[in-house]
Amino acid sequence: MDDVKMIAVRESVFADNDADAEALRTQLRREKTCLINVMGSPGAGKTRLLLALTAGLKETLRIGVMEADIDATVDTEAMLGAGLRAIQIHTGGMCHLDADMTRQGLQTLGTDDLDLVILENVGNLVCPAEFDTGAAVNITVLSVPEGHDKPLKYPLMYEKCALLVVSKADMLPYFDFDCRKLEEYARRRNPHIEILYSSAKTGCGTDAVAEWILRRVREWNREER
Amino acid sequence: MDDVKMIAVRESVFADNDADAEALRTQLRREKTCLINVMGSPGAGKTRLLLALTAGLKETLRIGVMEADIDATVDTEAMLGAGLRAIQIHTGGMCHLDADMTRQGLQTLGTDDLDLVILENVGNLVCPAEFDTGAAVNITVLSVPEGHDKPLKYPLMYEKCALLVVSKADMLPYFDFDCRKLEEYARRRNPHIEILYSSAKTGCGTDAVAEWILRRVREWNREER
């Protein structure tokens, strides 16, 4: 696709990703750019949720989006189609992003004039949780069809996120999904986790997620530097 | 759970996983045990599909199941509840299984008296596809709610499987899932891929998948050694 700006990221040269992520976070705080890392399974509905969220948020915030994918550019095309500044981070088989790969993406995107950058990580409940990207905050998206037992099976993903968005909530009548059990399992791993239900298809609940993000961006820009 | 036999696998000491996988495959062929590696996203419905398939297959074949999970034993409990011989392979954060980890599992399970061993790999569309487990054949499960674009985004997973099972097919009326596009995308990566639709919930299509497996097991046991 001619329109999609793509960067093929290289594997990090930094041995200490945690220190590198902290350095990136400090830099982003200084530049008043809030980076939000969105993780979840393949097909959890991350892209569609982000399209629903940014439709409203872009009235208030200057937003950039980085779409990480092993291959393909369909998600970035969707973001560009919605009038967002977006780039594709092509991981070339890599299952996650680390802080240096994220930095390479941010440099390609250009962040000087952005309040919020959303990183849509590789669809994967395992590896992305193991690598701090330098984001201000992590959001995990779990879709109703995946089932309520996922926090039992992929605990680190739920420990690392501040917000869990239960997506495709319009499908609750059709699946054996126990919200109480999900919340219990998630809080067992992460007592401070916030949980919001939404459906990008119907629009139910997306405003609350957008407001959560807006609050986070404002807090980030108020914080002492 | 007292009833769940669990093995915590160690990372492989073999530099050449492909050669190790080939050695394991040769050994399994000699022992007339067909190992099938089942991969797919978290929540794709792998466990539920396997429960539906083995309910019929266990009348004909002596079956063992190995459930790989980062944590939790719920899937193995389900298999034991269905009267199957099953063990839990606890990967302790690892995102995939390689041939040596699979061998460790097989030794714990005991395969002397088994015709078929099903390995349910870690729920992940990226890393498991990169490691040959030594299986006779790979099956990938894609659930309807995940969307028809997955072969574009996770190409290696579709290159490595002989059979793609589209699960939760009873949900087709509720999702914007284009079967023709899925088949086109999958065959673009893997012209020989076979594609079957099934719903473990309604039972539709599961017989065809079970027959596919039975055919594979019989071929495996007929092959020259």
Side-chain angles (χ1 to χ4, degrees):
Chain A
M1 290 287 135
D2 289 344
D3 297 318
V4 175
K5 190 182 267 186
M6 180 148 20
I7 173 174
V9 289
R10 303 169 299 277
E11 206 168 348
S12 176
V13 294
F14 293 92
D16 187 348
N17 181 63
D18 284 350
D20 191 35
E22 206 48 64
L24 178 57
R25 199 153 28 236
T26 302
Q27 179 197 329
L28 290 169
R29 197 173 268 145
R30 204 168 41 228
E31 295 171 358
K32 297 201 177 202
T33 301
C34 184
L35 172 65
I36 294 185
N37 175 32
V38 178
M39 301 182 284
S41 291
K46 296 182 289 302
T47 308
R48 191 150 178 190
L49 175 67
L50 293 180
L51 285 168
L53 297 176
T54 51
L57 284 172
K58 71 180 178 183
E59 305 299 319
T60 316
L61 299 173
R62 296 166 301 171
I63 305 174
V65 178
M66 303 196 295
E67 292 289 338
D69 251 318
I70 292 185
D71 212 335
T73 55
V74 285
D75 291 347
T76 306
E77 285 161 34
M79 292 294 165
L80 291 171
L84 291 162
R85 191 196 299 179
I87 65 160
Q88 182 73 38
I89 300 182
H90 196 144
T91 68
M94 286 283 285
C95 52
H96 67 275
L97 291 183
D98 63 17
D100 191 53
M101 295 156 88
T102 304
R103 182 186 289 113
Q104 293 169 45
L106 291 168
Q107 283 164 353
T108 303
L109 182 69
T111 56
D112 284 355
D113 54 349
L114 296 180
D115 306 304
L116 168 65
V117 175
I118 299 173
L119 167 62
E120 185 181 334
N121 216 310
V122 180
N124 182 335
L125 286 190
V126 188
C127 318
E130 296 168 12
F131 292 86
D132 189 341
T133 58
V137 68
N138 294 326
I139 296 176
T140 296
V141 180
L142 170 74
S143 63
V144 164
E146 291 173 70
H148 57 254
D149 62 350
K150 291 299 156 290
L152 295 178
K153 295 183 171 184
Y154 305 91
L156 193 64
M157 180 56 71
Y158 295 85
E159 288 171 24
K160 294 292 183 185
C161 68
L163 174 66
L164 168 60
V165 178
V166 181
S167 61
K168 306 188 189 179
D170 55 295
M171 285 292 126
L172 280 166
Y174 306 106
F175 287 88
D176 177 27
F177 187 97
D178 188 323
C179 298
R180 289 287 156 234
K181 277 191 183 156
L182 169 78
E183 294 176 13
E184 182 203 327
Y185 296 158
R187 295 212 165 93
R188 202 186 284 173
R189 292 299 182 167
N190 181 351
H192 304 296
I193 198 168
E194 292 182 66
I195 303 173
L196 292 172
Y197 293 78
S198 82
S199 162
K201 193 178 193 175
T202 64
C204 286
T206 56
D207 281 357
V209 180
E211 277 158 29
W212 189 95
I213 290 175
L214 190 58
R215 218 157 47 231
R216 279 295 173 134
V217 175
R218 289 188 167 149
E219 279 168 17
W220 183 254
N221 289 340
R222 263 206 307 272
E223 278 177 24
E224 288 300 316
R225 267 159 292 276
Chain B
M1 287 286 133
D2 289 346
D3 296 320
V4 176
K5 190 183 269 188
M6 179 151 17
I7 173 174
V9 288
R10 301 168 299 278
E11 206 168 347
S12 175
V13 295
F14 293 93
D16 188 347
N17 182 63
D18 284 351
D20 191 36
E22 207 47 64
L24 178 57
R25 200 155 25 237
T26 302
Q27 178 196 330
L28 290 169
R29 196 172 270 145
R30 204 168 42 229
E31 295 171 359
K32 297 201 178 201
T33 301
C34 183
L35 172 64
I36 293 185
N37 176 31
V38 178
M39 301 182 282
S41 292
K46 296 182 291 300
T47 308
R48 192 148 177 190
L49 174 68
L50 293 180
L51 284 168
L53 297 176
T54 52
L57 284 171
K58 72 182 179 184
E59 305 300 319
T60 316
L61 300 172
R62 298 165 300 172
I63 305 174
V65 179
M66 303 197 293
E67 292 288 338
D69 252 317
I70 292 186
D71 211 336
T73 56
V74 286
D75 292 346
T76 306
E77 286 163 34
M79 293 294 165
L80 292 170
L84 291 161
R85 191 197 300 180
I87 65 158
Q88 181 73 38
I89 301 183
H90 195 144
T91 68
M94 286 284 283
C95 51
H96 66 275
L97 291 183
D98 63 18
D100 190 54
M101 294 157 89
T102 304
R103 183 186 286 113
Q104 293 169 44
L106 291 167
Q107 284 164 351
T108 304
L109 182 69
T111 57
D112 283 356
D113 54 350
L114 296 181
D115 306 304
L116 168 65
V117 176
I118 299 173
L119 167 62
E120 185 183 334
N121 215 310
V122 179
N124 182 335
L125 286 189
V126 188
C127 317
E130 296 168 11
F131 294 86
D132 188 343
T133 58
V137 69
N138 294 326
I139 296 177
T140 295
V141 180
L142 169 75
S143 63
V144 165
E146 291 173 71
H148 57 253
D149 63 350
K150 292 299 156 291
L152 294 179
K153 295 184 173 184
Y154 304 91
L156 193 65
M157 179 56 70
Y158 295 85
E159 287 171 24
K160 295 292 184 185
C161 67
L163 175 65
L164 168 60
V165 178
V166 181
S167 61
K168 306 188 189 179
D170 56 296
M171 285 292 125
L172 279 167
Y174 305 107
F175 288 89
D176 176 27
F177 188 97
D178 188 325
C179 299
R180 289 286 158 234
K181 278 191 182 157
L182 169 80
E183 293 175 14
E184 181 204 328
Y185 297 158
R187 295 210 167 94
R188 203 184 285 172
R189 292 298 182 168
N190 182 350
H192 304 296
I193 198 169
E194 292 183 67
I195 303 174
L196 292 172
Y197 293 78
S198 82
S199 163
K201 193 178 193 174
T202 65
C204 286
T206 55
D207 281 357
V209 180
E211 276 158 30
W212 189 95
I213 290 175
L214 189 59
R215 218 157 47 232
R216 280 294 173 135
V217 174
R218 286 186 170 149
E219 279 167 18
W220 183 254
N221 289 339
R222 262 205 309 271
E223 278 175 24
E224 289 300 316
R225 266 160 289 274

